Each structure stands twice: as C-alpha cells, then as structure tokens.
Amino acid sequence: MTGARTQTGESVAAAIRCALLTPEPRAKVFAAREVARNWRLGRLAWRFDVAMPDRPAWPDRPELLPPNRMPKRGKAGSERGRIALWHALAHIEFVAIDLALDMAGRFGAAAGRALVDDFLSVAADEAMHFALLERKLRRLGSHYGALPAHGGLWQAAHETRHDVRARLAVVPMVLEARGLDVTPATRDRVRAQGDEDGARILQRILDDEIRHVRFGTRHFVQGCEKAGENPPECWKTLVKRHFRGALKPPFNDSARSAAGLSREFYAAVASGANARLPQNT
Ligand SMILES: [Fe+2]
Ligand SMILES: [Fe+2]
C-alpha cells in the first residue's frame, strides 16, 4: 500500500511514480490522493531521484480502442446511452489522474515547487472526479471497465514528454479547456432528462476544471515570460506542433476567461489556422 511506503525521507518523485504505476482504479484513486496529501503536509522530500514511466499502469479493463473502433453510444437518454456517457467521462477522469501526476513528477524538478503544489492538487481533484463517476456508474448498474474506452488519451502526454511548455499548452490549455466548452451542454442535457444528481456531479467537475486550466495557463505564461517569449504566440506554435486535432468552437469564453485563458490565445487558431490542423475524431 502506498500509505506504508510513505515514510520520512521518501522522495516526491518516488511517491508519484508509485501512484502512476498503480493499475487498479480504486487503488490509483487512493494513491493519488495520498501523494497529494503527504506532499501538502510536508511528508515528502524534494527529490527527483526516479524517472516517470513512459506509460502509467492501467487495469486490464476497460479495453482501449482507437476512436474509430469505439462502438456507438446508443440513443442519448436511453439506459445504454446514459451508461456509455458516464463511462466515457469516467475514463477521461481516470486518465486525467495520471496526466496530473506525470506533470508534477516529470517537470517538477525543473519547474519548481509551485508546479508540484498545483498539479498534485489537480491529481487529487481528478481522483475525486473519477470516484464520483465510478459511483454514478454503479448506481446505474454498471462499472468502470464494463465498456471499451478511448485509447488515445495518453497520446498528448507522450507527444509532449520532453517539454513542459508543450505539455501545459496541450493538456490543460487545450484538452481541459475543451472540457469547459462542452460540459455545460452535457450538464443541461442530463438535467433535462431529470438526472439532477448527474447534473450536480458535472457542475462540480466544471468548477474544478476552471481551476485546472487556470493553473496550466499560469505556469505556461510564467514559463514564456522567463524565456522572454510572447505567451499567445508561443502557445499557437506549440499547439500546431504537438496537438493533432482541431480547436472547435463554440468556446465557453466566460469559463475560459475565468481560467485566465483569453481569446488572444485561441481565437486566431480557431478561426484562421483551424484548417491547417489535421482532424482527429
Ligand atoms: Fe477532472
Ligand atoms: Fe482537470
């Protein structure tokens, strides 16, 4: 158990690596929250003496499929459709736990304590989001792993494993920001179907994700300023180079601006350079 491993002198990198290499979902949730807590309480040493794994450990189920082989979700609002929706969201949050852990463990040494503080707190949030969705699936008579899941969610991390600013540009500032755009509509649809409990979970996730995008944007802007580069210009270059997808409007401008992500960053990419970005379904 992670708790037993957490002894005086354990390095923050070793604790993070251990959580990344925990495959079983509930154990990973526990491990991620434990690392975040131990870090916050000053129980982990500021040492980066082990490398992060190329790929985290995941459970045998869900089966991971390329997006074009994912089965149809079923009619929205049908029981099958609802389970498919919550399962897809649970998978996104499960991978998000590892994305946040990897950010802190891989880039913390060079970027500094504030990045580790912020992204370990994100890892704890993602673990909570996953746990909420997993419980939701169980209330619907299903569970995480019952359906296949999108196999491409680690790709962005792999693509940006050598460059903290590329990672920040793509993961919090594109992928998590995309969550800000789409979650309100999903929440409203779920509520219109009479699922107030589901709507509340999505609202909580949305509120937390604004903070995650804010952390990402803040560290990105600081990194650019340190390098004497213009943040929006630098972001556009990195997104074009490392993100294989389109930035699709409509954007949730108010949530994005609450997260510090101004239109200066994404407006030009969305309206002009969109066509140059290869499409990803
Ligand atoms: Fe999340
Ligand atoms: Fe997040």
Side-chain angles (χ1 to χ4, degrees):
M1 293 297 286
T2 316
R5 288 174 46 92
T6 307
Q7 53 213 243
T8 317
E10 187 186 14
S11 73
V12 66
I16 293 171
R17 182 184 159 88
C18 179
L20 282 164
L21 291 177
T22 301
E24 203 276 314
R26 285 180 181 193
K28 195 188 286 284
V29 164
F30 181 83
R33 298 182 72 186
E34 185 82 344
V35 178
R37 183 160 172 273
N38 284 332
W39 174 249
R40 209 175 56 240
L41 296 174
R43 293 178 182 159
L44 297 169
W46 177 259
R47 274 201 327 277
F48 292 82
D49 46 357
V50 292
M52 295 304 113
D54 279 346
R55 218 198 81 157
W58 294 322
D60 296 338
R61 298 265 145 187
E63 180 190 6
L64 300 179
L65 294 178
N68 59 3
R69 285 193 43 221
M70 286 288 289
K72 292 262 173 290
R73 274 194 193 175
K75 245 178 89 208
S78 69
E79 197 187 325
R80 201 171 130 234
R82 291 175 69 200
I83 290 172
L85 168 70
W86 295 111
H87 195 280
L89 295 174
H91 181 62
I92 289 170
E93 298 294 345
F94 184 72
V95 177
I97 303 172
D98 286 330
L99 287 170
L101 290 169
D102 190 80
M103 180 83 84
R106 187 176 297 272
F107 300 115
R113 276 179 190 274
L115 184 126
V116 175
D117 291 347
D118 289 347
F119 283 94
L120 287 184
S121 91
V122 171
D125 285 351
E126 308 297 16
M128 178 50 79
H129 297 168
F130 173 77
L132 289 168
L133 294 167
E134 216 276 323
R135 250 180 275 156
K136 176 78 183 165
L137 278 170
R138 292 201 182 262
R139 282 200 292 279
L140 292 169
S142 187
H143 61 274
Y144 180 59
L147 299 175
H150 191 309
L153 301 187
W154 193 252
Q155 191 186 336
H158 185 74
E159 280 264 332
T160 56
R161 66 199 180 281
H162 301 306
D163 179 350
V164 65
R165 274 192 285 160
R167 175 69 64 85
L168 290 163
V170 173
V171 174
M173 298 173 76
V174 171
L175 300 178
E176 290 189 287
R178 177 90 191 126
L180 305 185
D181 302 333
V182 300
T183 305
T186 312
R187 175 202 60 203
D188 294 347
R189 204 170 62 238
V190 161
R191 180 169 284 144
Q193 289 160 5
D195 184 359
E196 189 53 40
D197 161 69
R200 262 202 307 272
I201 294 174
L202 291 173
Q203 184 61 50
R204 159 143 194 205
I205 290 177
L206 178 59
D207 292 342
D208 288 343
E209 295 301 334
I210 291 176
R211 210 166 57 93
H212 302 176
V213 177
R214 188 185 304 134
F215 287 158
T217 306
R218 187 164 73 207
H219 289 286
F220 179 83
V221 168
Q222 283 169 357
C224 290
E225 285 170 351
K226 230 195 260 170
E229 290 173 36
N230 174 277
E233 289 310 316
C234 179
W235 182 80
K236 283 172 217 168
T237 307
L238 290 170
V239 169
K240 270 180 222 161
R241 193 179 302 152
H242 295 286
F243 179 63
R244 298 204 226 129
L247 274 82
K248 289 182 231 146
F251 299 111
N252 182 347
D253 290 322
S254 68
R256 283 170 171 258
S257 100
L261 192 55
S262 66
R263 285 191 69 85
E264 236 189 312
F265 283 90
Y266 57 90
V269 179
S271 57
N274 215 7
R276 289 205 301 274
L277 292 166
Q279 296 287 321
N280 185 16
T281 43

